[in-house]
Amino acid sequence: MRFKRILLNCARYFLLILLAVFMAAPFIWMAVVSLLPSETQIPDLPQMVSIVRSWLTLGELPPPSIGNYPFVLLMPELPVFRFLLNSVFVTGSVVAGQLLVCSMAAYAFARLQFIGRDLIFRLFLISMMFAGVVVQIPVYMMVRSFGWLDTYAALIVPGLSSAFNIFLLRQYFITIPRELDDAAKMDGAGDWLVYWKVILPMSKASLATAAAFTFVATWTDFFWPLLATSSLRMRTLEVGLSVFKNSYGATNWPLQMTAAVITMLPMALVFLLAQRYFIRGISLGSIK
Amino acid sequence: MASSQNQKQGYLFIAPATIHLLVFALIPLGYALYISFFRWNLLKGETEFLALQNYQDIFNDGPFWNAMKNSFYYVLGSVPLGMGVALLVALLVNSSLKGMNLFRTIYYFPAITSQVALAMVWIYIFLPERGMINSALAMVGLPNSTSFLNETAWAMPALIFMSIWVGLGPRMILFLAGLIGIPDPLYEAASIDGASKWRQFWSVTLPMLAPTSLFVLITSTIGAFQVFTPIYMMTKGGPDDSTDVVGYHIYTTAWRDFQMGKASAQSFVLLLVILALAYLQYRLMKGQAEGYSAV
């Protein structure tokens, strides 16, 4: 019996590791190719294996070189630093704005009584169904008529609220015991103080989850920044990377993979630091 | 007095989000409907009222229905397979053995990665001869010259394969949450009744996962119908329009041909298809989902 369990565990680990290799392989590929000299022909599988083996054992092949990174970052024809700053600024503003706007609305839907509350809440939920498909063209035309095209306003303002986050935060707020509000109100606190001093501090984990999702969605958004910006200096990293790919064709793989790694890294760091919020949040979202 | 005060506070709290909803969702929805009644060229700025002509045209629009067919191919390939794989992986990581969190993190990683970066590395993976897949095929003596993204028979399966890889993590986590939520006594009762592990999976695990499956099914279907970035980066709808899915087709109608009225009408047809499918899935699985989630 005991023997059988050990055998089963070994089988489980074997499958898990096999799958992990499969899931991680494209990233390993990306990283290894980015460390090859620019203009190198892309390695096929056997060459890849011998490159990695040589690097790990300090073998005869040339060692990895990080030279592509400063080259791509400092490229005069492509303002990669500017893309990075744009992405940081836009994502930061959207995350901060959304947390405030969505948590305020969520507080009202969870705690306050007012005429039309449930109807308005339902409108938010319904908007999740059509938001992606239908509104792109009219939103573009509206943003154009505001004179916002190719500005930060176009990149930030349409992202300042999200029905999904309102829903997520409301679901959490209604689980906070009302006695806490009542105690604060006995001490003379109004709704703003209850919201700011009671509800928000109690909800740090949920806010972090909402922030994590918004961060990824905004950082990796491609479609909207592609439409809303046209000049190189307003591009975000994600769109800048696609420009980079098109201007360097499929010829210079090491430079392309370097640019891809640069685009991925900030996101990867955030993910590793905040992964428990991702994993919590995605299961929260499934609760009806 | 207190109550009217409360009313006012409520509207103040929801004001920013509601104004945003109006300006960036509800008004655009009406505006899109309005645009769809016109011939509306964005570049020339010309508009001409057509009433329902754009919608009538869609019935005879061969390329649009080709795109719809491609979308169905993509959805039917990526959603059931993606869900099946994710459920198996969820069973695999549903364990208290050491290192499970590391594995979950690795499997989740592609879902948070830049889609453009992923598209770039997958172009490389699918290359003939030197690509990762073809050079693996060569090592076991199989033909290695298939240019997966440039052959009509292979481009769509290649994109579906990639989508299963990208979408694994979030689906796995949802199924895992569902699995953890199944009360242990159900398994104990089943094993007292002499049910094998296999039987328990079919009679306890799967039915108890019905609400989770419904959620994953509907969100995956909606997402798959709107796929854009991999198509834009990897195939541009080609070869021979074999990967021209509806989301991409609408994009080209609007932003390459600048026919905003036609594109808006197409987007309403897509929305209708998505809503109809989501409703159908909901009706088909609702009975099951409700029957068991009450336990």
Side-chain angles (χ1 to χ4, degrees), chain A residues 27-124:
Chain A
F27 298 107
I28 298 170
W29 238 245
M30 218 185 245
V32 170
V33 174
S34 80
L35 296 172
L36 295 172
S38 167
E39 309 278 359
T40 312
Q41 196 190 20
I42 50 164
D44 62 14
L45 195 56
Q47 286 167 336
M48 188 62 116
V49 172
S50 57
I51 289 170
V52 173
R53 188 188 296 143
S54 165
W55 285 358
L56 293 176
T57 59
L58 304 175
E60 71 283 6
L61 290 172
S65 110
I66 57 160
N68 292 330
Y69 284 85
F71 181 80
V72 169
L73 282 171
L74 300 174
M75 217 164 187
E77 55 280 50
L78 212 64
V80 178
F81 262 118
R82 174 83 196 199
F83 297 158
L84 187 67
L85 286 179
N86 286 344
S87 281
V88 169
F89 178 64
V90 169
T91 307
S93 310
V94 168
V95 170
Q98 252 193 47
L99 284 187
L100 185 68
V101 169
C102 296
S103 67
M104 277 170 61
Y107 175 79
F109 289 128
R111 284 296 202 260
L112 302 175
Q113 298 287 337
F114 51 95
I115 297 165
R117 183 186 72 175
D118 296 341
L119 180 75
I120 298 170
F121 185 61
R122 212 160 291 151
L123 272 181
F124 275 101

Side-chain angles (χ1 to χ4, degrees), chain B residues 247-268:
Chain B
Y248 185 76
H249 189 80
I250 294 174
Y251 169 85
T252 52
T253 308
W255 308 106
R256 190 193 63 199
D257 309 337
F258 300 107
Q259 300 181 359
M260 299 327 224
K262 189 176 169 189
S264 293
Q266 289 174 344
S267 70
F268 274 104

Side-chain angles (χ1 to χ4, degrees), chain A residues 7 14-15 40 43 53 68 84 96 102 139 148 169 197 201 249 257 266:
Chain A
L7 209 67
F14 176 75
L15 287 174
T40 312
R53 188 188 296 143
N68 292 330
L84 187 67
C102 296
V139 167
W148 286 358
L169 292 173
K197 295 272 182 192
M257 291 298 119

Side-chain angles (χ1 to χ4, degrees), chain B residues 126-156:
Chain B
F126 287 133
L127 281 182
E129 278 105 35
R130 311 192 68 80
M132 211 164 157
I133 294 178
N134 273 308
S135 49
L137 290 176
M139 285 169 86
V140 292
L142 288 166
N144 69 338
S145 54
T146 318
S147 182
F148 290 103
L149 294 175
N150 288 313
E151 285 186 24
T152 47
W154 281 110
M156 193 61 104

Side-chain angles (χ1 to χ4, degrees), chain B residues 28-90:
Chain B
L29 183 68
Y31 192 20
L33 193 64
Y34 176 78
I35 294 169
S36 75
F37 295 142
F38 288 82
R39 174 175 294 126
W40 193 307
N41 187 304
L42 185 72
L43 276 196
K44 299 180 193 146
E46 291 168 359
T47 58
E48 179 195 348
F49 184 67
L50 294 178
L52 292 172
Q53 189 66 45
N54 281 327
Y55 291 93
Q56 280 166 7
D57 288 349
I58 286 178
F59 283 104
N60 301 315
D61 185 346
F64 178 77
W65 292 108
N66 173 58
M68 193 59 94
K69 190 194 77 195
N70 289 335
S71 275
F72 270 89
Y73 183 3
Y74 182 80
V75 170
L76 288 175
S78 70
V79 176
L81 267 177
M83 285 177 68
V85 171
L87 176 59
L88 291 179
V89 176

Side-chain angles (χ1 to χ4, degrees), chain A residues 200-216:
Chain A
L200 288 191
M202 292 283 298
S203 314
K204 280 183 191 141
S206 294
L207 291 168
T209 297
F213 277 108
T214 309
F215 191 100
V216 180

